[in-house]
């Protein structure tokens, strides 16, 4: 079992729909990142969370530390939101050292 | 535009050869991390450098090594290339702190024949 699990793996939505992508993790973390990757490889950081909720435009990210779960919501989805969304956690290896563990991503396609 | 630049963008090597990939971090960032992303997979953490010292490593063999320079730019070196090393190699820079946001470069796509 992967230490970071995302669901769903693939998602097709109609323009305007509300979208939720989930991320569960099994390790202790100091931060969780939501990333967006477009075809061609470039990755953009959307959110970094250690608690609570953040909002940026039509994107909302929440995290529940006790339940080891985070969600990324997209309101009023648009075809330009089509991309792979990746959850990544920062986990401590030892004093002053840590590693990042990535989910396999959720491939989102929004149809016009 | 994140301000993180990687070179080269594409390269082809043969098995057994060595490769060096380069990353210039965003101004003000003192931490660089490297990732390998195979086709259709999520990125895998290789290692991270802070102030020229490695301070975190994923499950990669010693033939994957790195350097960070005083200007915080970084290199990833891979020796004795294998076919499975074919992947997109990404670097990200951040400012050291408990929750440093990551800024990614566009990646270097390596093909090993």
């Amino acid at each position: 079992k992967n230490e970071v699990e995302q669901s769903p793996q693939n998602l097709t939505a109609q323009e305007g729909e509300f979208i939720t992508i989930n991320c569960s993790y099994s390790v202790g973390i100091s931060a969780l990142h939501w990333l967006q990757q477009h075809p061609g490889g470039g990755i953009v950081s959307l959110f970094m969370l250690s608690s609570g909720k953040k909002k940026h435009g039509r994107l909302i990210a929440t995290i529940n530390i006790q339940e080891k779960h985070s969600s990324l919501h997209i309101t009023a989805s648009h075809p330009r939101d089509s991309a792979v969304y990746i959850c990544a956690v920062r986990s401590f290896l030892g004093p002053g050292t840590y590693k990042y563990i990535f989910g396999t991503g959720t491939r989102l396609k929004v149809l016009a | 535009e994140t301000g993180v630049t990687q070179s080269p963008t594409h390269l082809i090597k043969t098995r057994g050869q060595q490769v060096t990939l380069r990353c210039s971090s965003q101004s003000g960032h003192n931490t660089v991390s490297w990732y390998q992303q195979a086709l259709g997979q999520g990125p895998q953490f290789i290692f991270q450098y802070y102030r020229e010292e490695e301070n975190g490593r994923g499950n990669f063999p010693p033939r994957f090594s790195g350097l960070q320079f005083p200007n915080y730019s970084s290199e990833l070196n891979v020796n004795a290339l294998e076919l499975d090393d074919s992947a997109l190699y990404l670097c990200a820079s951040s400012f050291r702190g408990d929750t440093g946001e990551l800024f990614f470069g566009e990646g270097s796509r390596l093909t090993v024949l």
Side-chain angles (χ1 to χ4, degrees):
Chain A
K1 184 170 166 51
N2 293 332
E3 293 169 300
V4 178
E5 298 272 359
Q6 283 186 240
S7 63
Q9 288 188 305
N10 294 282
L11 181 56
T12 300
Q14 292 293 325
E15 183 174 359
E17 284 186 6
F18 181 85
I19 289 164
T20 295
I21 300 171
N22 295 298
C23 175
S24 296
Y25 53 91
S26 57
V27 295
I29 70 168
S30 62
L32 181 143
H33 298 256
W34 280 104
L35 309 168
Q36 181 192 57
Q37 186 170 33
H38 282 284
I43 292 180
V44 174
S45 176
L46 299 175
F47 294 103
M48 182 185 59
L49 296 160
S50 55
S51 65
K53 175 180 174 179
K54 287 189 176 181
K55 184 176 189 291
H56 185 259
R58 295 180 294 108
L59 302 178
I60 302 167
T62 64
I63 188 168
N64 184 318
I65 298 294
Q66 287 73 31
E67 295 189 2
K68 296 189 173 180
H69 181 269
S70 176
S71 294
L72 175 69
H73 306 285
I74 305 175
T75 61
S77 59
H78 190 277
R80 66 175 174 266
D81 297 327
S82 299
V84 177
Y85 292 83
I86 302 170
C87 168
V89 302
R90 175 176 151 163
S91 177
F92 281 111
L93 287 173
T97 66
Y98 47 87
K99 66 176 181 179
Y100 290 92
I101 309 168
F102 290 73
T104 53
T106 294
R107 189 174 300 275
L108 172 65
K109 185 171 184 178
V110 181
L111 304 175
Chain B
E1 188 77 24
T2 63
V4 179
T5 57
Q6 292 188 242
S7 62
T9 54
H10 295 82
L11 70 166
I12 299 173
K13 293 284 188 178
T14 56
R15 251 185 349 175
Q17 285 189 311
Q18 178 264 345
V19 68
T20 297
L21 307 178
R22 295 179 177 83
C23 174
S24 294
S25 57
Q26 182 163 313
S27 178
H29 285 180
N30 55 16
T31 303
V32 175
S33 49
W34 285 91
Y35 307 86
Q36 180 196 66
Q37 187 177 25
L39 201 61
Q41 304 293 317
Q44 299 286 321
F45 174 65
I46 303 174
F47 45 55
Q48 176 169 279
Y49 278 82
Y50 167 65
R51 289 188 174 180
E52 304 176 55
E53 297 280 335
E54 186 182 292
N55 79 330
R57 190 178 182 94
N59 297 326
F60 281 81
R63 60 189 185 85
F64 286 78
S65 62
L67 283 173
Q68 187 181 29
F69 300 100
N71 67 354
Y72 303 130
S73 66
S74 177
E75 286 183 354
L76 164 65
N77 298 290
V78 187
N79 293 322
L81 284 167
E82 301 177 0
L83 297 179
D84 285 348
D85 296 333
S86 295
L88 179 69
Y89 289 85
L90 295 155
C91 81
S93 75
S94 59
F95 183 76
R96 171 71 180 266
D98 286 341
T99 53
E101 186 175 359
L102 297 171
F103 293 83
F104 285 84
E106 293 294 314
S108 294
R109 189 167 296 280
L110 170 66
T111 301
V112 182
L113 302 177

